[in-house]
Amino acid sequence: MSDRESSISRTSRIEADYLLETPVDPRAALEAMAGEQSSGTFVSLPAETPELKARAAARVESFEILEQVGDPSLPGSIHAENGYRRVLATLSWPLANLGPSLPNLVATVAGGLFELKQLSGLRILDLRVPDEFAATYSGPAFGVAGTRRLSGVEGRPLIGTIIKPNVGLDASETAELAQSMFEAGIDFIKDDELQADGAACPFSERAGSVMKKLNEYSDRFGRKPMYAINITGDLDQMRRRHDQVVNLGGTCVMVSLNSVGLVGMIELRKHCQLPIHAHRNGWGYLSRHPLLGWSFAAWQKLWRIVGVDHLHVNGLGNKFCESDESVIESARTCLSPLFDSKPCTVMPVFSSAQTARQVPATFDALGSADLIFAAGGGIHGHPDGPAAGVLKIRRAWEKAMKAAN
Protein backbone atom coordinates (compact mmCIF):
# COMPACT_ATOMS: atom_id res chain seq x y z
CA MET A 1 0.00 0.00 0.00
CA SER A 2 1.35 3.43 -0.92
CA ASP A 3 1.74 6.31 1.54
CA ARG A 4 -1.21 8.02 -0.13
CA GLU A 5 -3.40 4.91 0.24
CA SER A 6 -2.40 4.62 3.90
CA SER A 7 -3.40 8.24 4.43
CA ILE A 8 -6.78 7.66 2.81
CA SER A 9 -7.39 4.61 5.00
CA ARG A 10 -6.57 6.57 8.15
CA THR A 11 -8.93 9.43 7.32
CA SER A 12 -11.79 7.65 5.54
CA ARG A 13 -14.92 6.97 7.56
CA ILE A 14 -18.00 4.77 7.35
CA GLU A 15 -21.38 6.28 8.21
CA ALA A 16 -24.62 4.58 9.20
CA ASP A 17 -28.03 6.16 9.72
CA TYR A 18 -30.36 4.66 12.34
CA LEU A 19 -33.90 4.93 13.57
CA LEU A 20 -33.76 4.02 17.25
CA GLU A 21 -36.12 3.93 20.18
CA THR A 22 -34.72 4.32 23.67
CA PRO A 23 -35.92 4.47 27.29
CA VAL A 24 -32.84 6.50 28.32
CA ASP A 25 -31.41 9.87 27.37
CA PRO A 26 -30.82 9.67 23.58
CA ARG A 27 -27.28 11.02 23.84
CA ALA A 28 -26.44 8.33 26.41
CA ALA A 29 -27.97 5.61 24.23
CA LEU A 30 -25.99 6.75 21.20
CA GLU A 31 -22.77 6.95 23.17
CA ALA A 32 -23.41 3.38 24.33
CA MET A 33 -23.90 2.32 20.70
CA ALA A 34 -20.71 4.06 19.61
CA GLY A 35 -18.68 2.58 22.46
CA GLU A 36 -20.06 -0.94 22.02
CA GLN A 37 -19.14 -0.96 18.35
CA SER A 38 -15.69 0.57 18.58
CA SER A 39 -13.16 1.09 21.37
CA GLY A 40 -15.40 1.14 24.45
CA THR A 41 -17.25 -1.31 26.65
CA PHE A 42 -19.59 -1.09 29.67
CA VAL A 43 -16.86 0.23 32.00
CA SER A 44 -13.93 2.62 31.56
CA LEU A 45 -10.63 0.89 30.81
CA PRO A 46 -7.13 2.24 31.41
CA ALA A 47 -6.02 1.27 27.92
CA GLU A 48 -8.75 3.38 26.27
CA THR A 49 -6.69 6.54 26.34
CA PRO A 50 -7.78 9.86 24.82
CA GLU A 51 -5.28 9.24 22.03
CA LEU A 52 -6.79 5.82 21.29
CA LYS A 53 -10.32 7.25 21.35
CA ALA A 54 -9.32 9.98 18.91
CA ARG A 55 -7.93 7.32 16.58
CA ALA A 56 -10.47 4.50 16.88
CA ALA A 57 -13.70 5.51 18.60
CA ALA A 58 -16.98 5.73 16.74
CA ARG A 59 -18.56 9.18 16.68
CA VAL A 60 -22.12 10.35 17.09
CA GLU A 61 -22.34 12.66 14.10
CA SER A 62 -25.90 13.88 14.62
CA PHE A 63 -29.26 13.01 16.11
CA GLU A 64 -32.81 14.31 16.06
CA ILE A 65 -35.60 13.37 18.48
CA LEU A 66 -38.76 12.58 16.50
CA GLU A 67 -41.42 11.65 19.04
CA GLN A 68 -42.16 9.98 22.34
CA VAL A 69 -44.28 6.84 22.74
CA GLY A 70 -45.72 5.15 25.79
CA ASP A 71 -44.79 1.53 25.12
CA PRO A 72 -41.61 -0.13 23.86
CA SER A 73 -41.61 -1.57 20.35
CA LEU A 74 -39.46 -4.55 21.40
CA PRO A 75 -39.08 -6.46 24.67
CA GLY A 76 -35.99 -6.59 26.84
CA SER A 77 -35.04 -2.95 27.20
CA ILE A 78 -34.65 -0.93 30.38
CA HIS A 79 -38.07 0.04 31.70
CA ALA A 80 -38.97 3.70 31.15
CA GLU A 81 -41.23 5.50 33.58
CA ASN A 82 -41.74 8.46 31.24
CA GLY A 83 -41.97 6.84 27.80
CA TYR A 84 -39.65 5.94 24.98
CA ARG A 85 -38.12 8.39 22.54
CA ARG A 86 -37.64 7.69 18.84
CA VAL A 87 -34.56 9.22 17.31
CA LEU A 88 -32.90 9.61 13.90
CA ALA A 89 -29.14 9.41 14.29
CA THR A 90 -25.90 9.04 12.34
CA LEU A 91 -22.81 7.27 13.67
CA SER A 92 -19.44 7.04 11.96
CA TRP A 93 -16.33 4.85 12.27
CA PRO A 94 -12.76 5.14 11.02
CA LEU A 95 -12.24 2.81 8.08
CA ALA A 96 -8.88 1.99 9.68
CA ASN A 97 -10.73 0.05 12.41
CA LEU A 98 -11.78 -2.69 10.01
CA GLY A 99 -10.52 -2.05 6.50
CA PRO A 100 -12.75 -2.31 3.41
CA SER A 101 -14.34 -5.62 4.43
CA LEU A 102 -18.06 -6.17 3.98
CA PRO A 103 -18.41 -8.95 6.60
CA ASN A 104 -16.66 -6.72 9.13
CA LEU A 105 -18.70 -3.73 8.01
CA VAL A 106 -21.85 -5.61 9.02
CA ALA A 107 -20.27 -6.57 12.35
CA THR A 108 -19.45 -2.90 12.91
CA VAL A 109 -22.72 -1.18 11.97
CA ALA A 110 -24.98 -3.94 13.35
CA GLY A 111 -23.00 -6.30 15.56
CA GLY A 112 -24.19 -6.24 19.16
CA LEU A 113 -26.37 -3.18 18.79
CA PHE A 114 -29.66 -5.00 18.47
CA GLU A 115 -29.20 -6.58 21.92
CA LEU A 116 -28.46 -3.41 23.88
CA LYS A 117 -30.81 -2.82 26.83
CA GLN A 118 -30.61 0.91 26.16
CA LEU A 119 -32.61 0.32 22.97
CA SER A 120 -36.22 -0.77 22.59
CA GLY A 121 -36.01 -0.53 18.82
CA LEU A 122 -33.29 -0.20 16.17
CA ARG A 123 -33.35 -0.08 12.39
CA ILE A 124 -30.44 0.59 10.02
CA LEU A 125 -31.71 3.12 7.49
CA ASP A 126 -28.71 3.77 5.25
CA LEU A 127 -24.98 3.25 4.84
CA ARG A 128 -22.27 5.36 3.24
CA VAL A 129 -18.92 3.74 2.63
CA PRO A 130 -15.72 5.18 1.14
CA ASP A 131 -14.26 4.39 -2.27
CA GLU A 132 -11.91 1.79 -0.78
CA PHE A 133 -14.86 -0.64 -0.91
CA ALA A 134 -15.27 -0.04 -4.64
CA ALA A 135 -11.59 -0.84 -5.11
CA THR A 136 -11.79 -4.01 -2.99
CA TYR A 137 -14.90 -5.63 -4.49
CA SER A 138 -15.71 -6.20 -8.13
CA GLY A 139 -19.28 -4.90 -8.14
CA PRO A 140 -21.75 -6.17 -10.77
CA ALA A 141 -20.04 -7.82 -13.72
CA PHE A 142 -23.10 -7.39 -15.97
CA GLY A 143 -25.77 -5.21 -14.40
CA VAL A 144 -28.34 -3.57 -16.68
CA ALA A 145 -26.20 -3.28 -19.83
CA GLY A 146 -24.84 -6.83 -19.66
CA THR A 147 -28.26 -8.31 -18.98
CA ARG A 148 -29.68 -6.51 -22.01
CA ARG A 149 -26.78 -7.66 -24.19
CA LEU A 150 -27.12 -11.32 -23.22
CA SER A 151 -30.93 -11.37 -23.47
CA GLY A 152 -31.10 -9.28 -26.65
CA VAL A 153 -33.76 -7.02 -25.13
CA GLU A 154 -33.28 -3.27 -25.54
CA GLY A 155 -35.52 -0.29 -24.89
CA ARG A 156 -38.10 -2.07 -22.73
CA PRO A 157 -38.28 -4.23 -19.61
CA LEU A 158 -37.46 -7.91 -19.78
CA ILE A 159 -40.72 -9.84 -19.49
CA GLY A 160 -40.06 -12.74 -17.16
CA THR A 161 -41.71 -15.66 -15.46
CA ILE A 162 -41.07 -18.32 -12.83
CA ILE A 163 -41.31 -22.07 -13.21
CA LYS A 164 -44.70 -22.94 -11.73
CA PRO A 165 -45.59 -25.06 -9.79
CA ASN A 166 -42.61 -24.05 -7.65
CA VAL A 167 -41.70 -27.68 -6.94
CA GLY A 168 -43.16 -31.05 -7.86
CA LEU A 169 -42.25 -31.22 -11.55
CA ASP A 170 -39.46 -33.55 -12.62
CA ALA A 171 -36.63 -32.44 -14.92
CA SER A 172 -38.46 -33.45 -18.11
CA GLU A 173 -41.66 -31.72 -17.09
CA THR A 174 -39.72 -28.60 -16.11
CA ALA A 175 -38.05 -28.55 -19.52
CA GLU A 176 -41.39 -28.94 -21.32
CA LEU A 177 -42.86 -26.07 -19.31
CA ALA A 178 -39.81 -23.91 -20.00
CA GLN A 179 -40.08 -24.65 -23.72
CA SER A 180 -43.69 -23.49 -23.70
CA MET A 181 -42.50 -20.22 -22.13
CA PHE A 182 -39.76 -19.78 -24.76
CA GLU A 183 -42.30 -20.31 -27.51
CA ALA A 184 -44.65 -17.86 -25.81
CA GLY A 185 -42.03 -15.14 -26.37
CA ILE A 186 -40.69 -14.82 -22.82
CA ASP A 187 -37.41 -12.94 -22.25
CA PHE A 188 -36.46 -14.36 -18.88
CA ILE A 189 -37.27 -17.45 -16.79
CA LYS A 190 -36.14 -18.25 -13.28
CA ASP A 191 -36.33 -21.30 -11.07
CA ASP A 192 -38.36 -20.79 -7.94
CA GLU A 193 -36.08 -20.44 -4.92
CA LEU A 194 -37.52 -23.68 -3.51
CA GLN A 195 -36.32 -25.65 -6.53
CA ALA A 196 -32.78 -26.72 -5.75
CA ASP A 197 -31.33 -30.24 -6.04
CA GLY A 198 -33.98 -32.56 -4.68
CA ALA A 199 -34.40 -36.17 -5.67
CA ALA A 200 -37.57 -35.36 -7.62
CA CYS A 201 -35.81 -32.82 -9.84
CA PRO A 202 -32.01 -33.04 -9.49
CA PHE A 203 -30.05 -29.95 -10.48
CA SER A 204 -27.95 -31.62 -13.16
CA GLU A 205 -30.94 -33.25 -14.85
CA ARG A 206 -33.01 -30.06 -14.70
CA ALA A 207 -30.23 -27.83 -16.01
CA GLY A 208 -29.38 -30.24 -18.80
CA SER A 209 -32.98 -30.78 -19.88
CA VAL A 210 -33.97 -27.10 -19.85
CA MET A 211 -30.78 -25.92 -21.55
CA LYS A 212 -31.23 -28.52 -24.30
CA LYS A 213 -34.66 -27.03 -25.06
CA LEU A 214 -33.33 -23.49 -24.78
CA ASN A 215 -30.39 -24.11 -27.10
CA GLU A 216 -32.66 -25.76 -29.66
CA TYR A 217 -35.00 -22.77 -29.49
CA SER A 218 -32.08 -20.36 -29.86
CA ASP A 219 -30.76 -22.23 -32.89
CA ARG A 220 -34.17 -22.06 -34.56
CA PHE A 221 -35.15 -18.48 -33.81
CA GLY A 222 -31.88 -16.64 -33.24
CA ARG A 223 -32.82 -15.34 -29.78
CA LYS A 224 -31.94 -16.80 -26.41
CA PRO A 225 -34.13 -16.01 -23.43
CA MET A 226 -32.26 -15.84 -20.16
CA TYR A 227 -32.79 -18.75 -17.76
CA ALA A 228 -31.71 -18.10 -14.15
CA ILE A 229 -30.95 -21.56 -12.80
CA ASN A 230 -30.95 -21.83 -9.01
CA ILE A 231 -27.45 -22.87 -7.94
CA THR A 232 -27.89 -22.06 -4.23
CA GLY A 233 -25.90 -24.43 -2.03
CA ASP A 234 -22.57 -24.82 -0.30
CA LEU A 235 -19.76 -22.86 -1.91
CA ASP A 236 -18.20 -25.84 -3.70
CA GLN A 237 -21.65 -26.90 -4.91
CA MET A 238 -22.35 -23.43 -6.28
CA ARG A 239 -19.04 -23.34 -8.12
CA ARG A 240 -19.65 -26.76 -9.67
CA ARG A 241 -23.22 -25.89 -10.63
CA HIS A 242 -22.12 -22.59 -12.11
CA ASP A 243 -19.51 -24.35 -14.24
CA GLN A 244 -22.12 -26.82 -15.44
CA VAL A 245 -24.41 -23.96 -16.47
CA VAL A 246 -21.56 -22.32 -18.39
CA ASN A 247 -20.73 -25.58 -20.16
CA LEU A 248 -24.39 -26.01 -21.12
CA GLY A 249 -24.47 -22.55 -22.72
CA GLY A 250 -26.45 -20.86 -19.94
CA THR A 251 -26.46 -17.10 -19.47
CA CYS A 252 -27.57 -16.62 -15.83
CA VAL A 253 -27.52 -18.21 -12.39
CA MET A 254 -29.75 -17.54 -9.41
CA VAL A 255 -28.74 -17.45 -5.74
CA SER A 256 -30.73 -16.98 -2.51
CA LEU A 257 -28.78 -14.20 -0.77
CA ASN A 258 -29.84 -14.77 2.81
CA SER A 259 -29.14 -18.50 2.53
CA VAL A 260 -25.54 -18.24 1.33
CA GLY A 261 -24.53 -15.02 3.12
CA LEU A 262 -22.05 -12.33 2.26
CA VAL A 263 -18.96 -14.52 2.18
CA GLY A 264 -20.68 -17.07 -0.05
CA MET A 265 -21.62 -14.34 -2.51
CA ILE A 266 -18.18 -12.71 -2.38
CA GLU A 267 -16.48 -15.99 -3.26
CA LEU A 268 -19.06 -16.93 -5.90
CA ARG A 269 -18.68 -13.55 -7.62
CA LYS A 270 -14.93 -14.13 -7.90
CA HIS A 271 -15.62 -17.41 -9.68
CA CYS A 272 -18.74 -16.51 -11.62
CA GLN A 273 -18.71 -15.77 -15.36
CA LEU A 274 -22.46 -15.13 -15.64
CA PRO A 275 -25.00 -12.60 -14.34
CA ILE A 276 -26.11 -13.35 -10.78
CA HIS A 277 -29.86 -13.15 -10.24
CA ALA A 278 -30.11 -12.37 -6.53
CA HIS A 279 -33.23 -13.53 -4.72
CA ARG A 280 -33.98 -11.89 -1.38
CA ASN A 281 -36.23 -14.61 0.11
CA GLY A 282 -36.24 -14.16 3.87
CA TRP A 283 -36.25 -10.39 3.51
CA GLY A 284 -39.27 -10.11 5.81
CA TYR A 285 -37.43 -11.30 8.90
CA LEU A 286 -34.88 -8.52 8.38
CA SER A 287 -37.34 -5.75 7.65
CA ARG A 288 -40.96 -6.30 8.57
CA HIS A 289 -40.96 -4.63 11.98
CA PRO A 290 -40.55 -0.85 11.51
CA LEU A 291 -38.28 -0.59 14.60
CA LEU A 292 -36.09 -3.60 13.90
CA GLY A 293 -33.63 -4.73 11.27
CA TRP A 294 -32.64 -3.11 8.01
CA SER A 295 -34.12 -0.81 5.43
CA PHE A 296 -33.71 -1.99 1.85
CA ALA A 297 -31.72 1.18 1.07
CA ALA A 298 -28.97 0.05 3.46
CA TRP A 299 -29.16 -3.71 2.89
CA GLN A 300 -29.05 -3.65 -0.91
CA LYS A 301 -25.78 -1.72 -0.94
CA LEU A 302 -23.95 -4.71 0.53
CA TRP A 303 -24.98 -6.97 -2.33
CA ARG A 304 -24.37 -4.40 -5.05
CA ILE A 305 -20.83 -3.85 -3.77
CA VAL A 306 -20.31 -7.64 -3.77
CA GLY A 307 -21.47 -7.77 -7.38
CA VAL A 308 -24.95 -9.18 -7.92
CA ASP A 309 -26.56 -8.16 -11.22
CA HIS A 310 -30.31 -8.47 -10.55
CA LEU A 311 -32.03 -7.84 -7.23
CA HIS A 312 -35.63 -8.56 -6.24
CA VAL A 313 -37.70 -5.61 -5.03
CA ASN A 314 -41.22 -7.14 -4.83
CA GLY A 315 -43.93 -5.52 -7.00
CA LEU A 316 -46.87 -3.16 -6.92
CA GLY A 317 -50.07 -4.65 -5.52
CA ASN A 318 -48.02 -7.64 -4.33
CA LYS A 319 -49.17 -10.60 -2.27
CA PHE A 320 -46.90 -9.66 0.64
CA CYS A 321 -47.03 -6.90 3.25
CA GLU A 322 -44.81 -4.33 1.51
CA SER A 323 -46.32 -1.04 0.36
CA ASP A 324 -46.15 0.17 -3.22
CA GLU A 325 -44.14 3.21 -2.13
CA SER A 326 -41.51 0.97 -0.55
CA VAL A 327 -41.29 -1.20 -3.68
CA ILE A 328 -40.66 1.79 -5.95
CA GLU A 329 -38.11 3.30 -3.59
CA SER A 330 -36.30 -0.05 -3.50
CA ALA A 331 -36.17 -0.19 -7.29
CA ARG A 332 -34.85 3.36 -7.47
CA THR A 333 -32.01 2.51 -5.12
CA CYS A 334 -30.95 -0.35 -7.41
CA LEU A 335 -30.62 2.09 -10.31
CA SER A 336 -28.87 4.83 -8.30
CA PRO A 337 -25.04 4.89 -8.57
CA LEU A 338 -23.03 4.03 -5.44
CA PHE A 339 -19.57 5.31 -6.34
CA ASP A 340 -18.32 7.78 -8.95
CA SER A 341 -15.66 5.28 -9.99
CA LYS A 342 -17.99 2.25 -10.06
CA PRO A 343 -21.76 2.91 -10.18
CA CYS A 344 -22.73 -0.68 -9.17
CA THR A 345 -26.23 -0.25 -10.60
CA VAL A 346 -28.27 -3.45 -10.88
CA MET A 347 -31.46 -4.54 -12.60
CA PRO A 348 -34.44 -4.42 -10.20
CA VAL A 349 -36.75 -7.43 -10.43
CA PHE A 350 -40.48 -6.80 -9.97
CA SER A 351 -42.33 -9.96 -8.95
CA SER A 352 -45.08 -11.26 -6.65
CA ALA A 353 -48.61 -11.38 -8.08
CA GLN A 354 -47.66 -9.23 -11.07
CA THR A 355 -49.93 -8.94 -14.12
CA ALA A 356 -50.50 -6.46 -16.92
CA ARG A 357 -52.66 -4.44 -14.54
CA GLN A 358 -49.65 -3.19 -12.56
CA VAL A 359 -47.65 -2.10 -15.62
CA PRO A 360 -48.90 1.51 -16.05
CA ALA A 361 -48.46 2.38 -12.38
CA THR A 362 -45.04 0.69 -12.26
CA PHE A 363 -43.68 2.69 -15.19
CA ASP A 364 -45.32 5.90 -14.06
CA ALA A 365 -43.78 5.60 -10.58
CA LEU A 366 -40.33 4.33 -11.57
CA GLY A 367 -39.88 6.27 -14.79
CA SER A 368 -37.50 3.66 -16.19
CA ALA A 369 -37.67 0.57 -18.37
CA ASP A 370 -34.55 -0.92 -16.80
CA LEU A 371 -36.18 -3.78 -14.93
CA ILE A 372 -37.27 -7.39 -15.10
CA PHE A 373 -41.03 -7.71 -14.80
CA ALA A 374 -41.67 -11.28 -13.66
CA ALA A 375 -45.17 -12.76 -13.65
CA GLY A 376 -45.79 -16.34 -12.57
CA GLY A 377 -49.52 -16.93 -12.31
CA GLY A 378 -50.09 -13.82 -14.43
CA ILE A 379 -48.61 -15.71 -17.41
CA HIS A 380 -49.08 -19.40 -16.60
CA GLY A 381 -52.66 -18.76 -15.50
CA HIS A 382 -53.81 -16.59 -18.41
CA PRO A 383 -57.12 -17.99 -19.70
CA ASP A 384 -55.88 -17.91 -23.31
CA GLY A 385 -52.54 -19.52 -22.54
CA PRO A 386 -49.04 -18.30 -21.68
CA ALA A 387 -48.37 -16.72 -25.10
CA ALA A 388 -51.40 -14.50 -24.58
CA GLY A 389 -50.18 -13.67 -21.08
CA VAL A 390 -46.73 -12.63 -22.33
CA LEU A 391 -48.22 -10.62 -25.20
CA LYS A 392 -50.64 -8.80 -22.90
CA ILE A 393 -47.86 -7.74 -20.55
CA ARG A 394 -45.58 -6.70 -23.40
CA ARG A 395 -48.33 -4.60 -25.01
CA ALA A 396 -49.10 -3.04 -21.63
CA TRP A 397 -45.48 -1.92 -21.36
CA GLU A 398 -45.46 -0.62 -24.92
CA LYS A 399 -48.62 1.38 -24.24
CA ALA A 400 -47.32 2.76 -20.93
CA MET A 401 -44.00 3.81 -22.43
CA LYS A 402 -45.63 5.34 -25.50
CA ALA A 403 -48.03 7.35 -23.34
CA ALA A 404 -45.06 8.82 -21.45
CA ASN A 405 -43.40 10.13 -24.63
Side-chain angles (χ1 to χ4, degrees):
M1 180 180 287
S2 68
D3 290 341
R4 180 177 180 277
E5 289 171 327
S6 297
S7 175
I8 291 172
S9 294
R10 285 196 297 270
T11 58
S12 297
R13 296 187 74 83
I14 294 159
E15 289 189 347
D17 299 335
Y18 298 92
L19 171 63
L20 61 124
E21 184 182 274
T22 178
V24 303
D25 176 74
R27 169 63 74 172
L30 289 164
E31 293 292 351
M33 291 170 62
E36 180 72 22
Q37 295 305 111
S38 61
S39 61
T41 185
F42 66 98
V43 294
S44 296
L45 300 175
E48 192 186 12
T49 63
E51 292 77 17
L52 186 145
K53 282 186 176 182
R55 181 174 68 251
R59 293 197 306 239
V60 179
E61 298 289 353
S62 65
F63 71 94
E64 174 189 358
I65 298 174
L66 300 178
E67 61 180 338
Q68 184 162 314
V69 296
D71 297 312
S73 293
L74 302 173
S77 70
I78 298 168
H79 176 70
E81 295 291 343
N82 298 313
Y84 300 78
R85 279 169 284 193
R86 293 179 179 171
V87 180
L88 285 177
T90 299
L91 272 60
S92 76
W93 293 261
L95 179 62
N97 280 10
L98 61 146
S101 163
L102 286 173
N104 290 299
L105 172 69
V106 173
T108 297
V109 303
L113 293 181
F114 291 98
E115 295 92 64
L116 287 176
K117 290 194 295 185
Q118 293 93 330
L119 303 176
S120 55
L122 184 69
R123 188 175 181 87
I124 301 172
L125 299 179
D126 206 352
L127 297 172
R128 288 172 295 282
V129 300
D131 285 346
E132 284 89 343
F133 282 86
T136 301
Y137 296 95
S138 65
F142 295 87
V144 174
T147 297
R148 289 197 176 282
R149 176 175 53 80
L150 288 172
S151 65
V153 177
E154 298 290 345
R156 63 169 177 82
L158 275 68
I159 309 303
T161 194
I162 307 97
I163 298 294
K164 296 287 183 180
N166 303 341
V167 293
L169 302 176
D170 63 22
S172 176
E173 291 167 332
T174 301
E176 292 296 327
L177 179 61
Q179 182 179 17
S180 72
M181 294 296 110
F182 304 148
E183 293 174 352
I186 205 75
D187 303 314
F188 175 91
I189 299 178
K190 62 174 283 293
D191 281 340
D192 188 84
E193 67 271 18
L194 300 177
Q195 184 60 270
D197 190 30
C201 190
F203 174 85
S204 294
E205 290 183 24
R206 183 174 77 258
S209 297
V210 174
M211 286 308 305
K212 182 175 185 294
K213 298 289 188 182
L214 180 52
N215 290 329
E216 289 172 352
Y217 176 87
S218 178
D219 290 341
R220 290 202 316 270
F221 297 101
R223 65 181 295 268
K224 193 169 192 175
M226 185 172 276
Y227 172 37
I229 308 176
N230 185 17
I231 66 170
T232 302
D234 297 341
L235 184 55
D236 287 343
Q237 290 175 325
M238 291 195 291
R239 287 174 175 144
R240 289 196 302 270
R241 291 168 185 170
H242 162 271
D243 292 349
Q244 185 174 351
V245 174
V246 171
N247 292 335
L248 290 168
T251 57
C252 193
V253 293
M254 187 185 100
V255 179
S256 294
L257 297 179
N258 291 316
S259 298
V260 306
L262 271 175
V263 174
M265 286 302 303
I266 289 166
E267 294 305 312
L268 179 62
R269 178 74 278 173
K270 292 175 184 176
H271 181 82
C272 194
Q273 303 172 39
L274 301 174
I276 297 175
H277 184 87
H279 201 296
R280 69 177 192 176
N281 53 87
W283 170 239
Y285 61 70
L286 297 173
S287 65
R288 188 166 184 178
H289 194 290
L291 263 297
L292 181 65
W294 293 70
S295 76
F296 188 81
W299 183 82
Q300 53 87 30
K301 289 181 178 179
L302 304 173
W303 306 105
R304 289 166 63 191
I305 294 169
V306 168
V308 305
D309 299 284
H310 313 154
L311 190 54
H312 279 239
V313 298
N314 215 330
L316 301 192
N318 59 76
K319 63 186 179 183
F320 299 122
C321 64
E322 190 170 4
S323 70
D324 290 352
E325 293 77 14
S326 174
V327 171
I328 293 299
E329 185 57 34
S330 295
R332 286 175 181 154
T333 64
C334 292
L335 297 170
S336 299
L338 276 183
F339 306 103
D340 291 338
S341 61
K342 188 183 293 182
C344 293
T345 54
V346 299
M347 186 80 91
V349 182
F350 284 73
S351 65
S352 172
Q354 298 301 281
T355 69
R357 290 192 298 272
Q358 288 102 324
V359 166
T362 300
F363 184 68
D364 182 61
L366 185 62
S368 174
D370 288 334
L371 61 111
I372 297 172
F373 190 83
I379 288 176
H380 293 275
H382 194 280
D384 296 325
V390 172
L391 183 60
K392 186 171 183 179
I393 291 173
R394 183 168 294 161
R395 284 179 173 170
W397 275 103
E398 291 170 354
K399 183 178 180 181
M401 294 171 67
K402 184 178 180 180
N405 293 328

